[in-house]
Amino acid sequence: MIFRGENVLGQTVIPNAGFENWIDHGNYADPQYWDTPNAETATLPIIGRAVVVKSTDAEAGNYSAKLVTQNILGVGNIPGFITLGTLTVTLFPPDYTLHGGIPINDHPTHLMGWFKFVPVGGDSCTIGILLTKLNAGVIDTVGYGYFSSLDTVTQWTHFSAWIDYVIAGEQPDTMNVMAISSAEETTLHEGTTLWVDDLSLDYTVGIDRQDPDAGIYVYNDRERKQLVFNFDLAKPEEVSAVLYGMTGRPAAELPGSVMTKGSDALGYGSLPPGMYVLEILHNGKKYTQKFLLNL
């Protein structure tokens, strides 16, 4: 079934975001509107195994999506994967391509939801969002965001994946939301399990020019070990930021300065690995965002 998109007061809604609806295909089931590798992995004679299953362990409602990295005899370890796009899987050799998504006509600030994660052998999970636009036959990336974890999380925990808009002012036409149980292709371990539930889009800091809080986007540049701030403000505003460790003590800061458009960066390469909270002070308000750094 093709999802035509939903819109409530101008905001896009993720279809079947609570994974309550599943389509039974006989020897496996897929969440409605979501694609998975199950059609390839679960239909193999004798050795077939589903990598995405319906779970009654849910944060809200009756069900969640349970993604499990499975060992397929003769193929290897295959991660659990869900996507609002189209997933094309080959097993010999193991590979996949991902494209498409659902229509979108707005600018969410971040993807939110709930997760649990039990890794094996150092695996990490990733939950992400990709916003694109077709321009003259070329698919351009307008924005993206992702959340990753390599910690064991046995209780339902809230996450946020803030979106970095790499093309300022561009309106995306397609959105893809994805989750994968083992994100590192070189370290896939059988049994790594990710549960996902109750996804949503948030519009806390929009790009509506009538919104005085619009236009601050933060991207974690892991390669250069810095948090990159992109500013596209409607008028000059003083902005400052402080990065706190989990003890509550400041670990680094971006001094206050008046910004309209441009960018700045806050390096974290000298900090010990762990969870940090970024606090942004802007227009008399505080915005917070968590980051796993140097892991």
Side-chain angles (χ1 to χ4, degrees):
M1 180 181 295
I2 297 176
F3 177 70
R4 298 296 183 187
E6 296 181 46
N7 198 272
V8 178
L9 298 178
Q11 296 183 356
T12 301
V13 176
I14 298 173
N16 195 22
F19 303 100
E20 293 300 296
N21 302 315
W22 292 71
I23 299 175
D24 189 356
H25 296 282
N27 52 352
Y28 71 93
D30 279 338
Q32 187 179 22
Y33 303 126
W34 297 81
D35 199 4
T36 80
N38 282 343
E40 289 76 24
T41 65
T43 56
L44 291 171
I46 303 175
I47 61 173
R49 305 174 75 178
V51 296
V52 177
V53 296
K54 178 169 63 174
S55 173
T56 56
D57 182 354
E59 189 280 328
N62 296 314
Y63 305 111
S64 68
K66 181 180 179 181
L67 289 61
V68 184
T69 302
Q70 300 275 25
N71 182 265
I72 308 296
L73 185 64
V75 177
N77 292 335
I78 304 296
F81 199 119
I82 56 174
T83 173
L84 285 178
T86 300
L87 185 65
T88 302
V89 178
T90 59
L91 295 179
F92 304 97
D95 196 13
Y96 66 86
T97 57
L98 181 65
H99 59 89
I102 66 172
I104 186 172
N105 58 7
D106 54 16
H107 291 80
T109 55
H110 56 290
L111 170 70
M112 300 190 305
W114 295 80
F115 83 106
K116 293 170 57 177
F117 184 53
V118 179
V120 175
D123 277 1
S124 64
C125 67
T126 295
I127 306 169
I129 181 171
L130 176 67
L131 305 177
T132 60
K133 182 176 183 178
L134 183 63
N135 286 316
V138 177
I139 298 176
D140 290 332
T141 297
V142 176
Y144 64 94
Y146 60 92
F147 167 84
S148 294
S149 178
L150 47 73
D151 297 322
T152 298
V153 181
T154 58
Q155 301 295 321
W156 283 104
T157 302
H158 190 264
F159 76 88
S160 291
W162 285 74
I163 300 170
D164 176 30
Y165 282 91
V166 296
I167 305 179
E170 186 73 271
Q171 172 61 59
D173 58 27
T174 302
M175 174 182 74
N176 195 358
V177 176
M178 303 144 284
I180 186 168
S181 57
S182 296
E184 299 293 334
E185 294 183 356
T186 58
T187 55
L188 303 180
H189 292 88
E190 182 181 10
T192 291
T193 305
L194 169 67
W195 292 259
V196 181
D197 201 9
D198 200 20
L199 300 176
S200 64
L201 299 175
D202 194 75
Y203 296 78
T204 302
V205 185
I207 66 166
D208 181 351
R209 291 296 177 258
Q210 303 303 313
D211 178 2
D213 297 322
I216 302 177
Y217 310 108
V218 183
Y219 165 61
N220 183 11
D221 185 343
R222 289 172 169 78
E223 182 176 353
R224 295 178 177 83
K225 296 187 180 298
Q226 59 183 7
L227 299 177
V228 179
F229 297 75
N230 294 309
F231 301 97
D232 187 15
L233 301 171
K235 60 180 181 179
E237 297 281 355
E238 182 165 343
V239 182
S240 63
V242 180
L243 189 66
Y244 292 94
M246 294 312 292
T247 62
R249 295 181 178 179
E253 65 178 300
L254 190 72
S257 60
V258 176
M259 298 294 301
T260 305
K261 298 182 185 296
S263 63
D264 207 338
L266 177 62
Y268 60 77
S270 62
L271 300 179
M275 178 71 77
Y276 291 82
V277 176
L278 178 69
E279 180 180 86
I280 301 174
L281 305 178
H282 170 237
N283 198 31
K285 299 179 181 179
K286 293 182 181 180
Y287 302 95
T288 59
Q289 183 175 352
K290 288 184 178 181
F291 289 95
L292 276 170
L293 302 180
N294 286 326
L295 294 176

